[in-house]
Amino acid sequence: MFVDVTCKKCGQRKRLDVGGPTEGQALEEYLRFTTDRLSHQPSFGCFGGHFELAPPLPRFWDIHWDTLSES
């Protein structure tokens, strides 16, 4: 599954592969876990070319869940 993400610092937008739920896992639960993971995983290089040593969400990235799709 893919979703668009925008960097709040530089404004660049990129389509990211966020994987997909395991067999039997609800999509809502998988998306909540994905958001939690991105909220706590430090980003050492933004796709906009600058470096951040803090977790990317919610301080640096906006996830556009309305763009979530298989491709």
Side-chain angles (χ1 to χ4, degrees):
M1 301 192 84
F2 294 84
V3 69
D4 288 356
V5 178
T6 301
C7 176
K8 293 178 183 178
K9 187 170 184 176
C10 65
Q12 289 203 22
R13 189 169 176 145
K14 185 172 184 172
R15 191 130 182 94
L16 295 181
D17 183 352
V18 293
T22 59
E23 187 175 328
Q25 183 179 30
L27 178 60
E28 295 79 18
E29 178 185 39
Y30 178 76
L31 295 179
R32 188 180 79 244
F33 287 147
T34 299
T35 301
D36 288 347
R37 186 185 67 211
L38 291 174
S39 295
H40 296 97
Q41 180 178 343
S43 174
F44 295 104
C46 172
F47 48 82
H50 57 86
F51 290 94
E52 301 300 344
L53 299 178
L57 287 179
R59 189 168 167 199
F60 297 109
W61 290 357
D62 280 324
I63 298 178
H64 306 283
W65 290 117
D66 57 321
T67 65
L68 185 67
S69 69
E70 294 290 328
S71 59

